[in-house]
Amino acid sequence: MEILKHPEKLVNTFQKLRAGAKGILLCDYDGTLAPFREDPLQATPYPWVPDLLTDMRGMGVRVVLVTGRRAADLHGLLPLSGLEIWGSHGREHIAEDGRYTAWQSEPAAEALLDHWHQQLRELMPHVRMERKVGCLAVHFRGLPSADKVLLEGEMEKLRQRLDVAGILKIKAFHLGCELVAPGPNKGDVVREILAQERATEVAPVYLGDDVTDEDAFAALGDQGLRVLVSVNPRPTHADIRLESPAEVLEFFRNFREAARRGGQ
């Protein structure tokens, strides 16, 4: 573990849990709870994840998965009943009772994403893509370097031809990039959950590995502990860095023990 800034926040978080504050554990999925795989549908969680999340939920900890994936994808990969999931970077929500809601982007942006998706499929049919709510993920994972360069060039050409007004943004993520319509992000999820819990004494923590998690780190600010999961250092808003799945496991066990002592 590396302390990046505000060393007191780690200690304070566990002290609050032991004193009875409600734990809020927000986690990205890929690279945090599961290893990256060339085929994202094969990215099952680390073996210890289901039991630990179940234990913490049983103690009253609010466990929330915040992912760039489609929300429904996680039901197959992490089949825990009653799990709260925010998918597509916060544009889909599956509540604990199973209710599904989705944010509605502008029709023009959705049409543009559909057109872009079709064009890329025709140009490079072997590239893995995911069409989600208000966004289109394009995966570089498993591509030869030459194909990656070609793909980036084709995307820039499409941008100049299809999106002169600059409606869509291109955002990088681990081994890929995403075309994103204006709308909610992971930071909005954090703000929504903190607002829902504003009448309660809470100890919130957000764990994530990707640049898309920086919106969540920024939104959490001084209100909770921000945890970057990354082998390599990088510029970040996070307060601490965990370098391996073993360190994530140790952090979760400590979080669970603190929550247990707090009587959650």
Side-chain angles (χ1 to χ4, degrees):
M1 177 191 295
E2 180 185 12
I3 303 295
L4 302 174
K5 56 177 75 75
H6 307 303
E8 74 284 356
K9 288 176 70 174
L10 177 62
V11 174
N12 291 346
T13 296
F14 288 115
Q15 285 180 340
K16 289 175 69 176
L17 285 168
R18 287 191 289 268
K22 179 178 180 178
I24 301 178
L25 187 65
L26 302 110
C27 298
D28 183 30
Y29 183 75
D30 294 279
T32 301
L33 300 182
F36 288 105
R37 295 284 186 246
E38 184 171 327
D39 180 356
L41 295 179
Q42 299 301 314
T44 53
Y46 297 115
W48 42 266
V49 166
D51 286 345
L52 272 172
L53 295 187
T54 299
D55 285 351
M56 286 189 277
R57 291 172 63 210
M59 295 173 183
V61 174
R62 183 173 180 178
V63 177
V64 184
L65 298 191
V66 188
T67 176
R69 287 176 177 265
R70 286 181 290 252
D73 287 352
L74 293 193
H75 277 305
L77 293 168
L78 187 57
L80 297 180
S81 62
L83 188 61
E84 182 177 3
I85 301 170
W86 291 79
S88 299
H89 305 290
R91 299 173 182 212
E92 299 176 277
H93 183 223
I94 299 177
E96 290 182 346
D97 62 6
R99 285 179 299 161
Y100 172 85
T101 55
W103 168 82
Q104 297 296 316
S105 63
E106 291 293 329
E110 288 291 339
L112 187 55
L113 284 164
D114 287 338
H115 194 187
W116 206 312
H117 189 195
Q118 179 184 354
Q119 293 287 305
L120 284 176
R121 280 279 183 224
E122 292 174 359
L123 289 166
M124 305 188 76
H126 61 291
V127 172
R128 184 178 290 109
M129 289 176 262
E130 294 176 273
R131 180 68 170 89
K132 300 176 288 185
V133 177
C135 45
L136 170 66
V138 182
H139 294 272
F140 300 157
R141 204 171 303 160
L143 288 180
S145 297
D147 279 6
K148 177 178 177 293
V149 172
L150 178 60
L151 178 57
E152 290 175 326
E154 293 297 339
M155 290 184 67
E156 182 57 34
K157 290 177 185 176
L158 287 174
R159 180 211 284 274
Q160 295 175 15
R161 181 160 57 86
L162 299 178
D163 191 15
V164 177
I167 295 174
L168 305 180
K169 303 298 182 186
I170 298 181
K171 296 186 176 182
F173 63 87
H174 185 75
L175 296 178
C177 68
E178 198 146 21
L179 294 159
V180 183
N185 59 38
K186 291 182 177 182
D188 293 299
V189 176
V190 171
R191 284 183 281 269
E192 172 65 21
I193 288 173
L194 291 178
Q196 292 173 4
E197 302 284 354
R198 62 183 175 274
T200 307
E201 180 69 19
V202 295
V205 175
Y206 188 102
L207 292 91
D209 72 296
D210 212 335
V211 292
T212 60
D213 296 303
E214 292 298 327
D215 291 324
F217 292 153
L220 187 54
D222 293 333
Q223 299 177 80
L225 182 66
R226 304 168 295 184
V227 183
L228 173 65
V229 180
S230 177
V231 173
N232 300 311
R234 64 168 173 80
T236 180
H237 293 293
D239 302 303
I240 67 173
R241 179 170 68 92
L242 304 180
E243 300 184 33
S244 67
E247 289 193 348
V248 176
L249 171 58
E250 181 181 8
F251 181 89
F252 274 28
R253 284 173 171 167
N254 290 337
F255 192 99
R256 178 181 62 180
E257 178 60 18
R260 184 189 67 77
R261 291 190 182 184
Q264 293 196 46

